[in-house]
Amino acid sequence: MAEAAVIVLDQATKYWVVAGIRPGEEYPMTSFFSLVLAFNSGAAFSFLAGADGWQRWLFVAIAFVASASCCGC
């Protein structure tokens, strides 16, 4: 049940940010913390960002293999 709540909260905050902030716009939360909307077309630190799209399926496959090995399948 907690997992579903986390997923709903995650999707709600993503919707709130995308609907309310333009890319690159700064939204100050406190005097030392701001939200800035940025998109990353690659993996971590834009790794493989210039690739043709195959990298998404590579990471999906890695995720499935990792999940299966964690579940003992």
Side-chain angles (χ1 to χ4, degrees):
M1 188 64 168
E3 297 87 358
V6 169
I7 292 170
V8 168
L9 182 62
D10 174 62
Q11 293 301 309
T13 55
K14 286 178 185 177
Y15 175 79
W16 171 71
V17 169
V18 171
I21 302 176
R22 290 186 300 273
E25 181 181 5
E26 184 177 359
Y27 185 81
M29 301 297 286
T30 67
S31 61
F32 60 89
F33 177 75
S34 297
L35 290 178
V36 178
L37 178 59
F39 294 97
N40 182 0
S41 61
F45 307 107
S46 295
F47 175 68
L48 297 174
D52 293 331
W54 60 266
Q55 71 276 24
R56 175 180 308 212
W57 302 112
L58 170 68
F59 291 121
V60 167
I62 291 170
F64 274 115
V65 169
S67 296
S69 67
C70 289
C71 294
C73 298

